[in-house]
Amino acid sequence: VLDLVELYDALALYMEVGEETEEENKLDWVAKKRETSKNVQACLLKKFSKIQKRQEELDAILETEGSIAKVLGIPPLVQRGKKRSRPSDGKHPNPQQFVSKRIAKWFEGPDPDDPTKSVSSLFFGTIDYISNQEGKETWWHVTYDDDDMEDFDIRQVRQGIADYEKNKSKDPKNNQEDEKAEAV
């Protein structure tokens, strides 16, 4: 928890260092944050003599050192490299890589023994094909072993693959293939 002096220091530091953004839609947002910070500082200055004294200290530091960031122990900003461009779907270079992968998904349903309660059941399925790939979104068609079908987005595909990896020993198709391999 910050006390008032630490809050004032943080606001003063923000006013000095600010934020870097090159995105058009964030420039207004950053400007509004800076304006709000400035208003909070002014309000604190009016209400608290402790803050007025701190402002005088920071002004003296700024005059002698050229920066309050140095005195407050803030490391200099490190220039980061530009971000790499991402593939068109923003997540994976090749959406086709998931086709024919096995997935698992948990479904909630009524307990057959007590309909007032619910139970989780694990269902297995296979990603059949890419059902839609327009713009930045990709959808994969999944057919479950009980012949139900559904389309998954990338988040659901990742979750389905992760759940399958955790539970593949329970997959009847995985066990059937193991038995076929042993029989040969």
Side-chain angles (χ1 to χ4, degrees):
V1 177
L2 297 177
D3 65 24
L4 289 177
V5 172
E6 291 170 327
L7 174 63
Y8 186 81
D9 286 355
L11 292 168
L13 184 62
Y14 179 74
M15 293 304 293
E16 179 180 315
V17 176
E19 291 180 49
E20 289 184 27
T21 184
E22 294 177 9
E23 297 177 40
E24 284 291 322
N25 58 347
K26 289 192 177 177
L27 290 176
D28 282 345
W29 180 67
V30 170
K32 287 177 186 173
K33 281 174 52 177
R34 291 181 73 90
E35 185 63 31
T36 301
S37 294
K38 192 175 179 180
N39 292 340
V40 170
Q41 279 183 293
C43 183
L44 288 172
L45 277 170
K46 286 180 191 173
K47 292 185 177 183
F48 301 100
S49 59
K50 195 178 201 183
I51 298 298
Q52 292 168 357
K53 182 179 176 194
R54 184 59 176 171
Q55 184 198 19
E56 292 169 7
E57 292 171 1
L58 292 178
D59 286 345
I61 290 169
L62 191 57
E63 192 173 309
T64 58
E65 299 293 327
S67 169
I68 62 171
K70 292 179 196 173
V71 176
L72 294 176
I74 308 300
L77 292 176
V78 177
Q79 181 66 35
R80 292 191 212 164
K82 294 282 182 189
K83 288 187 175 182
R84 294 177 290 150
S85 62
R86 301 234 174 198
S88 61
D89 71 352
K91 302 290 179 193
H92 292 281
N94 182 6
Q96 194 68 33
Q97 71 187 2
F98 299 116
V99 173
S100 77
K101 292 267 188 193
R102 294 286 288 161
I103 60 97
K105 183 174 178 181
W106 290 95
F107 286 91
E108 291 289 321
D111 185 337
D113 299 328
D114 184 356
T116 62
K117 295 181 181 176
S118 67
V119 293
S120 294
S121 300
L122 186 62
F123 286 82
F124 294 94
T126 303
I127 300 172
D128 301 324
Y129 56 88
I130 297 171
S131 59
N132 186 5
Q133 192 174 7
E134 291 183 19
K136 292 184 178 186
E137 276 205 64
T138 302
W139 292 86
W140 290 265
H141 185 268
V142 172
T143 301
Y144 293 98
D145 295 346
D146 66 357
D147 292 328
D148 279 349
M149 293 178 251
E150 139 175 54
D151 285 341
F152 277 24
D153 64 14
I154 186 61
R155 184 190 58 76
Q156 293 168 308
V157 166
R158 285 183 175 155
Q159 185 65 53
I161 291 171
D163 285 346
Y164 182 78
E165 288 303 314
K166 291 177 195 169
N167 296 286
K168 67 176 149 187
S169 64
K170 299 174 189 172
D171 179 8
K173 284 198 173 184
N174 187 37
N175 292 334
Q176 288 172 358
E177 289 179 18
D178 289 345
E179 290 168 11
K180 286 180 191 173
E182 288 174 13
V184 173

